[in-house]
């Protein structure tokens, strides 16, 4: 559960941050203090995995929300279920980005660029699988690959930098292994395809084509700056490919035909669909998915309702 939703409900928050961001976690705690939040309303905790299990089991903890991997989600859900605690899980995603034959191709290429490579591709709801109608495939690929090739990679504090490094060397190496597996089995690298030869967790902005079901890149989440593009022979083919995933977080549809976009949105096995924009989020919009992308919702009214006790009090005559 995002912190603001819990606090708006009147709940207190114990936040166990991801291990790679202790300084930003402490900074967030200080921001809440500086803003005047009551002491103890928001507490950042440094805890081991074993300690987290004990915290979840503690009767003072009424519910658990996790943003993380499938592995972490399964572990947290198991402990929460054993202790009869409400749980919300926001896990991985391999979101499809559908470019229909009625799309504005220039706009679609721009949205795909920002949707895939923003935050160095490290977003659960990033546009990871670009599925393009046959009629506009060549035009889209030309414009998309050209845009990706032009991405400036460098110091993220510089105003003209588009993409920085990955969160860790382990993340870079894991992504490289997935790409290498695809290439070894016949995938085509349209641009990029390898780590950058410099100190740090850098990886080239990459576009892969020709990915097939026997490759890890087909079924696994690529959590970094790698886009996989597919050619769809029909709308049914695009929908089938989009839904052929263990994940079901979000999706994007690019089309100037509003009725067609709405009809296809209804057919996709996802928790969210964005039409004619890059994937994103906003505080007022419910965020979450289905299948192995998690359970429950964050943000908006539905996110707030996840951790509210709806008590009935009835007075008889």
């Amino acid at each position: 559960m995002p912190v603001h939703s819990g606090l708006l409900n009147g709940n207190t928050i114990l936040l166990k941050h991801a291990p790679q961001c202790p300084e930003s976690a402490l900074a967030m705690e200080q921001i809440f203090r500086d803003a005047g939040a009551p002491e103890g309303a928001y507490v950042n905790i440094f805890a081991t995995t074993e300690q987290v299990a004990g915290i979840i089991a503690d009767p003072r903890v009424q519910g658990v929300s996790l943003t993380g991997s499938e592995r972490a989600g399964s572990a947290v859900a198991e402990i929460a279920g054993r202790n009869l605690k409400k749980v919300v899980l926001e896990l991985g995603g391999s979101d499809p980005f559908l470019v229909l034959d009625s799309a504005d191709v220039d706009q679609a290429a721009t949205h795909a660029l920002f949707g895939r490579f923003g935050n160095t591709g490290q977003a659960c709801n990033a546009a990871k699988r670009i599925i393009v109608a046959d009629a506009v495939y060549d035009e889209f690929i030309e414009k998309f690959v050209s845009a990706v090739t032009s991405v400036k990679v460098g110091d993220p504090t510089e105003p003209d930098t588009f993409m920085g490094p990955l969160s860790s060397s382990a993340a870079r190496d894991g992504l490289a292994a997935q790409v290498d597996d695809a290439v070894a089995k016949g995938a085509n690298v349209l641009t990029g395809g390898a780590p950058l030869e410099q100190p740090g967790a850098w990886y080239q902005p990459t576009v892969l084509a020709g990915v097939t079901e026997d490759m890890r890149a087909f079924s696994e989440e690529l959590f970094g700056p790698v886009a996989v593009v597919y050619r769809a022979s029909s709308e049914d083919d695009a929908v089938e490919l989009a839904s052929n995933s263990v994940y079901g977080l979000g999706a994007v549809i690019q089309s100037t035909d509003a009725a067609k976009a709405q009809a296809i949105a209804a057919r996709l096995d996802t928790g969210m669909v964005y039409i004619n924009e890059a994937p994103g989020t906003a505080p007022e919009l419910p965020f979450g998915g289905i299948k192995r992308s998690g359970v429950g919702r964050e943000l908006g009214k539905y996110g707030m309702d996840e951790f509210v006790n709806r008590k009935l009090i009835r007075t008889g005559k």
Side-chain angles (χ1 to χ4, degrees):
M1 171 179 52
V3 171
H4 70 81
S5 297
L7 292 175
L8 286 172
N9 282 335
N11 298 322
T12 55
I13 303 296
L14 298 175
L15 179 68
K16 163 63 173 73
H17 56 269
Q20 64 264 42
C21 57
E23 293 187 20
S24 59
L26 288 174
M28 286 297 299
E29 184 178 37
Q30 188 61 49
I31 287 171
F32 276 96
R33 286 202 190 100
D34 294 344
E39 187 67 28
Y42 175 93
V43 179
N44 179 66
I45 56 175
F46 291 86
T48 65
T49 301
E50 293 74 18
Q51 289 171 325
V52 168
I55 292 169
I56 294 173
D58 190 296
R60 292 170 292 181
V61 173
Q62 298 297 300
V64 185
S65 179
L66 173 102
T67 299
S69 66
E70 292 178 69
R71 180 185 58 80
S74 296
V76 166
E78 180 181 358
I79 299 166
R82 193 185 312 136
N83 291 277
L84 300 179
K85 304 289 179 71
K86 175 66 181 289
V87 64
V88 169
L89 303 174
E90 197 280 284
L91 308 178
S94 188
D95 289 9
F97 184 103
L98 279 67
V99 182
L100 305 185
D101 56 11
S102 54
D104 178 327
V105 176
D106 288 319
Q107 174 181 276
T110 299
H111 288 166
L113 177 72
F114 282 87
R116 171 67 280 204
F117 297 97
N119 200 38
T120 317
Q122 298 169 117
C124 53
N125 64 326
K128 298 179 177 120
R129 295 180 295 138
I130 318 297
I131 301 169
V132 187
D134 181 70
V136 295
Y137 181 86
D138 292 336
E139 180 185 2
F140 174 85
I141 288 297
E142 180 182 357
K143 293 177 177 179
F144 180 56
V145 172
S146 175
V148 174
T149 305
S150 301
V151 162
K152 181 178 179 182
V153 181
D155 183 347
T157 65
E158 295 294 330
D160 60 342
T161 295
F162 186 91
M163 200 185 87
L166 286 157
S167 62
S168 67
S169 295
R172 176 204 59 207
D173 295 344
L175 183 69
Q178 291 171 306
V179 172
D180 291 347
D181 170 79
V183 173
K185 294 175 180 175
N188 302 315
V189 178
L190 303 186
T191 186
L196 285 168
E197 297 298 330
Q198 62 189 56
W202 302 89
Y203 199 88
Q204 297 174 351
T206 297
V207 180
L208 296 179
V211 170
T212 54
E213 293 193 37
D214 61 322
M215 303 172 188
R216 293 175 58 191
F218 184 91
S219 58
E220 296 180 4
E221 179 179 23
L222 299 176
F223 206 69
V226 177
V228 179
V229 293
Y230 299 91
R231 186 193 293 263
S233 59
S234 65
E235 289 175 8
D236 287 344
D237 184 35
V239 170
E240 182 179 355
L241 182 56
S243 297
N244 186 8
S245 173
V246 297
Y247 299 105
L249 187 55
V252 169
I253 297 172
Q254 299 284 323
S255 173
T256 57
D257 186 330
K260 180 182 293 186
Q262 290 286 343
I264 290 181
R267 298 172 61 190
L268 297 178
D269 288 338
T270 61
M272 307 174 289
V273 180
Y274 291 82
I275 297 174
N276 290 332
E277 60 181 349
T281 184
E284 72 276 13
L285 300 178
F287 188 97
I290 60 174
K291 299 193 281 189
R292 296 192 70 84
S293 288
V295 294
R297 291 295 180 268
E298 300 174 341
L299 303 175
K301 174 183 182 296
Y302 295 104
M304 292 186 67
D305 285 350
E306 292 284 3
F307 291 96
V308 171
N309 176 25
R310 294 185 170 277
K311 180 187 292 184
L312 169 68
I313 300 176
R314 174 182 167 90
T315 302
K317 295 181 180 179

